[in-house]
Amino acid sequence: MTERTDPDYISFTDAATLIVRHGLAGSMTPRGLRYMARARATEETPADRRWPFGDGPGQEPYLVAGKTRMMRTSVLLEYLAKYPPKGRGPAREATPES
């Protein structure tokens, strides 16, 4: 069997799957990952915890392929290993009331 290697650059869509496969989160959607990127890119976020991609100081620019923003996979995985995703997790089904 061929060993699976991670791509050098990855989209938000593929990164969500990769994050789960690497065990950094129990579940992740592209939308959730984009939300985390926006939330962690604010001025209120301490500089050392700030999202590593973007146009700001200390951030690595996204690689744009068509309309898709791509991130360097190794940088993303290192960042999320150090600052793992936190959240409520997937939506739960409503339970019928008695």
Side-chain angles (χ1 to χ4, degrees), residues 12-13 15-16 19 25 27-40 51 80 85-90:
F12 278 90
T13 300
I19 290 165
S27 66
M28 178 63 67
T29 64
R31 184 177 179 181
L33 186 58
R34 287 184 196 97
Y35 176 83
M36 181 174 38
R38 283 190 305 274
R40 293 184 178 186
W51 185 250
L80 292 176
K86 295 180 181 166
R88 64 173 179 80

Side-chain angles (χ1 to χ4, degrees), residues 17-55:
T17 303
L18 183 77
I19 290 165
V20 173
R21 193 172 74 227
H22 277 263
L24 297 169
S27 66
M28 178 63 67
T29 64
R31 184 177 179 181
L33 186 58
R34 287 184 196 97
Y35 176 83
M36 181 174 38
R38 283 190 305 274
R40 293 184 178 186
T42 64
E43 295 288 328
E44 293 80 37
T45 306
D48 64 326
R49 293 180 161 264
R50 201 162 291 145
W51 185 250
F53 304 99
D55 298 326

Side-chain angles (χ1 to χ4, degrees), residues 48-79:
D48 64 326
R49 293 180 161 264
R50 201 162 291 145
W51 185 250
F53 304 99
D55 298 326
Q59 291 180 309
E60 181 174 309
Y62 288 103
L63 174 68
V64 179
K67 293 183 178 182
T68 304
R69 292 177 296 164
M70 306 287 285
M71 302 167 280
R72 197 156 41 111
T73 306
S74 61
V75 172
L76 177 66
L77 291 176
E78 286 173 24
Y79 173 79

